[in-house]
Amino acid sequence: MKKIWAPAVLTAGLLVGLPSPAQAENVLANAGFETGSLGGWTCASGGSVVTSPVRTGSYALAGGVTAGSTGQCTQTVSVQPNTAYSLSAWVRGSYVYMGVTGGASTWTPSASNYTKLSVSFTTGADQKSVEIFLHGWYGNGAYHADDVELDGPGGEPQPGVPGAPASPRLGTVTDNSIALSWEPATGTVTGYRVYEGSALKATVTGTSATVSGLAACSSHSYAVAAYNDVGESAKSAPVSGRTGGCTDTGLPKHALIGYLHASFANGSGYVRMADVPDAWDIIDLAFGEPTSVTSGDIRFNRCPVSECPNVESDEEFIAAIRAKQAQGKKVLISIGGQNGQVQLTTAGARDAFVRSVSAIIDKYGLDGLDVDFEGHSLYLNSGDTDFRNPKTPVIVNLISALKTLKARYGEKFVLTMAPETFFVQVGYQFYGGAGGGDGRTGSYLPVIHAMRDDLTVLHVQDYNSGPVMALDGQYKNMGGAEFHIAMTDMVKAGFPVANTGHTFPGLRPDQIGIGLPAAIPAGNGHTSPAQVQQAVNCLVKGTGCGSYTLRGGTSPALRGLMTWSINWDNYFKWEFMKAHEPFLNGLP
């Protein structure tokens, strides 16, 4: 954030002319056997659905293995040509096999408890269907399977199967339940099934359902499928929500967030903590930086007098932080920035990160942490294609460190993130672990996803960015209202992650902010106050959206605006603050 850094600009030429990825979903019918039958499956004689042992839900498959039969069960589904898919199942028994007929397969010789089997494959150029199988081995006793998942875009539906339900939306949310509704599916419909992943959560005959028995303050993502006697439709787009019962962080509904140059001046001048206007609700101290790229040892060095002649003492700085907090403001340490490359490549670096960041938080009595990893801090190793289960050490160790810090400081710990579009929205087209490009594309997605229940605000930097393809299949350029509308809508609605077969679920509106430069010298992509407010009105109220249609719906609880930086805003006579603070306060 200190200076202009634009990897997305450098890679923008790679984006032109590529197709939008297809929607990803579990395309199997009755994937968890929760219909209580073998509906959708074809099994050898003796195959059945049982109530024990199960992994999740109420039912699982028992394969009818005999001396003359492997007890095979199959399901044929429509797929799209030249497309990546991931197949997985949880199995139990001796010599259990899973795979694609004529293609990839895997097996386990002995699983006394439910064990996950996984394979990935890519369909052929003209392939429109695939048969997946599960079976045991002759004479080795029954095997069990549950939560089978074929993750990827569906193909043409089977004749007579209803269409997918449309426009799922949240209804009443309580501390332990989430209500949903959706538009009726086309065709003959017997009922609807509500899924969370591959797990069936409700079966209803109408177009609404309430999922109960949920943990307080927990995030969930649901999709809906219609069914009749012929079969089950493709699933709807996912809708995400979080139950109530969360600890109040004390933030206003719509917040003004800014970075304070606390360790350098950057040409915009030093602003003492006591002189930061009361309009700023979250103040991010920039920056904590590592002693070396891979050490994990973070140091926060206050601006030296030689660079910042008006810098206050530590005692005055801490006293000013306490005064802000007494007013309900949150003061965080921001780690990284343009120059602070942080690669937690080892468990030792992870532990050093936790120790050193905790020491900074404790010394200054801060409210939490802002993750501003840029440059080469985050990347995905080749083959690391599932953002839900990352394998790359720098990703895994960062997630572990953040969870440890959250657990240490408790429910009131404020966690924010400030990635660039390159690391989030560009993941719609390119995901680093899938190969074929820069390994950093989309690399924030596994961190955001893992921390979604603990994340206070994600404010992606809508600047220093190249063109980014949005959910309407069109490239958007920074600097105008449409860029902010489209980029924010992606985070709210969620999106398929490149060609991985997985879909990133959207965040709640109260977790989403828009990142902006305060002035032209602060970063490429400065947007006039009028254009910023047009974007916010579109996102919050659904007005002034121009030709763009919101895929994630309106967001009345949108958290607010972030800027780089408080210092640059001061340098330009508080233009950003004066324009946007009363505007945010006037939103419903």
Side-chain angles (χ1 to χ4, degrees):
M1 277 189 171
K2 284 188 186 178
K3 299 176 183 176
I4 297 170
W5 176 80
V9 173
L10 298 177
T11 59
L14 299 176
L15 307 183
V16 178
L18 290 180
S20 172
Q23 177 74 29
E25 56 193 15
N26 185 1
V27 297
L28 293 174
N30 196 19
F33 306 96
E34 293 303 310
T35 62
S37 72
L38 291 173
W41 297 88
T42 300
C43 293
S45 178
S48 64
V49 171
V50 296
T51 57
S52 180
V54 300
R55 178 178 175 267
T56 63
S58 302
Y59 299 98
L61 168 70
V65 177
T66 66
S69 172
T70 63
Q72 178 163 287
C73 288
T74 63
Q75 184 172 151
T76 300
V77 294
S78 297
V79 293
Q80 294 186 9
N82 197 31
T83 301
Y85 288 84
S86 297
L87 173 64
S88 64
W90 291 82
V91 301
R92 185 176 183 272
S94 297
Y95 295 98
V96 187
Y97 296 77
M98 178 203 74
V100 180
T101 301
S105 64
T106 186
W107 65 290
T108 177
S110 178
S112 56
N113 297 307
Y114 273 108
T115 299
K116 188 175 186 180
L117 297 178
S118 301
V119 294
S120 297
F121 63 94
T122 299
T123 53
D126 299 316
Q127 189 171 0
K128 295 183 179 180
S129 67
V130 65
E131 181 184 76
I132 68 105
F133 66 78
L134 292 158
H135 67 72
W137 199 246
Y138 304 98
N140 277 276
Y143 67 92
H144 296 91
D146 204 353
D147 299 327
V148 191
E149 185 170 351
L150 179 59
D151 207 352
E156 293 298 321
Q158 182 181 353
V161 172
S167 305
R169 51 198 175 271
L170 297 180
T172 301
V173 176
T174 71
D175 290 0
N176 56 19
S177 68
I178 294 177
L180 310 165
S181 61
W182 52 89
E183 298 301 317
T186 58
T188 302
V189 177
T190 301
Y192 298 90
R193 296 177 180 131
V194 178
Y195 290 93
E196 184 168 15
S198 61
L200 181 66
K201 294 298 182 181
T203 300
V204 296
T205 56
T207 56
S208 64
T210 298
V211 182
S212 304
L214 306 177
C217 197
S218 59
S219 295
H220 302 271
S221 182
Y222 299 107
V224 185
Y227 70 92
N228 59 20
D229 292 341
V230 179
E232 184 176 86
S233 75
K235 292 188 178 74
S236 69
V239 61
S240 300
R242 184 167 76 169
T243 54
C246 302
T247 300
D248 184 3
T249 59
L251 288 173
K253 182 177 180 180
H254 305 296
L256 196 66
I257 304 166
Y259 285 79
L260 182 68
H261 307 179
S263 60
F264 57 94
N266 200 28
S268 58
Y270 183 81
V271 177
R272 294 163 65 98
M273 175 64 72
D275 295 332
V276 174
D278 295 341
W280 300 95
D281 299 301
I282 297 180
I283 302 166
D284 293 315
L285 304 178
F287 287 108
E289 298 181 358
T291 55
S292 69
V293 172
T294 58
S295 70
D297 186 10
I298 307 299
R299 303 297 171 88
F300 175 53
N301 299 312
R302 309 232 4 262
C303 191
V305 174
S306 58
E307 185 179 353
C308 303
N310 60 325
V311 65
E312 68 268 59
S313 67
D314 270 1
E315 292 76 14
E316 292 170 321
F317 186 67
I318 292 171
I321 290 173
R322 297 292 175 275
K324 294 295 181 189
Q325 293 168 327
Q327 296 173 335
K329 313 302 180 183
K330 307 298 179 184
V331 184
L332 317 181
I333 180 64
S334 181
I335 307 297
Q338 176 194 273
N339 295 337
Q341 305 295 294
V342 183
Q343 295 179 356
L344 304 183
T345 55
T346 65
R350 174 200 65 197
D351 296 342
F353 183 88
V354 171
R355 286 193 304 270
S356 56
V357 171
S358 297
I360 296 168
I361 291 172
D362 294 344
K363 177 178 178 178
Y364 295 99
L366 304 178
D367 297 288
L369 168 67
D370 173 68
V371 181
D372 186 17
F373 284 18
E374 300 183 15
H376 292 266
S377 292
L378 295 182
Y379 55 85
L380 293 153
N381 289 340
S382 178
D384 191 353
T385 59
D386 186 352
F387 72 88
R388 304 167 304 178
N389 299 287
K391 302 174 183 177
T392 307
V394 295
I395 304 288
V396 173
N397 289 330
L398 175 59
I399 292 168
S400 176
L402 295 178
K403 287 185 176 293
T404 300
L405 287 166
K406 175 68 177 183
R408 175 171 297 183
Y409 291 102
E411 289 299 318
K412 290 188 177 293
F413 185 74
V414 177
L415 176 64
T416 65
M417 299 181 190
E420 293 158 296
T421 58
F422 188 69
F423 300 101
V424 182
Q425 289 94 336
V426 172
Y428 179 45
Q429 278 197 291
F430 302 98
Y431 192 63
D438 195 316
R440 297 170 296 167
T441 51
S443 59
Y444 249 92
L445 294 177
V447 182
I448 297 167
H449 184 68
M451 301 305 299
R452 63 174 56 238
D453 279 348
D454 300 313
L455 179 62
T456 310
V457 189
L458 174 76
H459 33 63
V460 176
Q461 300 176 37
D462 283 1
Y463 51 97
N464 296 343
S465 172
V468 182
M469 180 179 278
L471 295 178
D472 61 0
Q474 302 299 311
Y475 289 99
K476 309 300 179 183
N477 294 290
M478 62 182 179
E482 189 171 68
F483 188 74
H484 304 301
I485 293 168
M487 294 302 100
T488 307
D489 189 42
M490 292 181 79
V491 175
K492 164 71 183 305
F495 53 87
V497 180
N499 62 346
T500 65
H502 305 302
T503 297
F504 176 78
L507 296 177
R508 304 186 321 272
D510 65 279
Q511 293 178 298
I512 303 170
I514 302 173
L516 304 150
I520 291 174
N524 285 332
H526 175 260
T527 308
S528 70
Q531 289 280 296
V532 173
Q533 293 175 15
Q534 178 187 337
V536 173
N537 279 327
C538 168
L539 293 162
V540 171
K541 304 175 184 179
T543 61
C545 298
S547 62
Y548 187 86
T549 300
L550 294 174
R551 273 67 178 172
T554 56
S555 302
L558 184 77
R559 182 59 73 182
L561 302 174
M562 173 276 279
T563 193
W564 178 260
S565 63
I566 292 172
N567 301 64
W568 278 115
D569 199 31
N570 173 54
Y571 189 86
F572 285 90
K573 304 186 185 303
W574 303 111
E575 178 189 60
F576 189 94
M577 179 189 74
K578 289 178 179 178
H580 297 313
E581 193 241 356
F583 169 73
L584 291 174
N585 290 342
L587 291 174

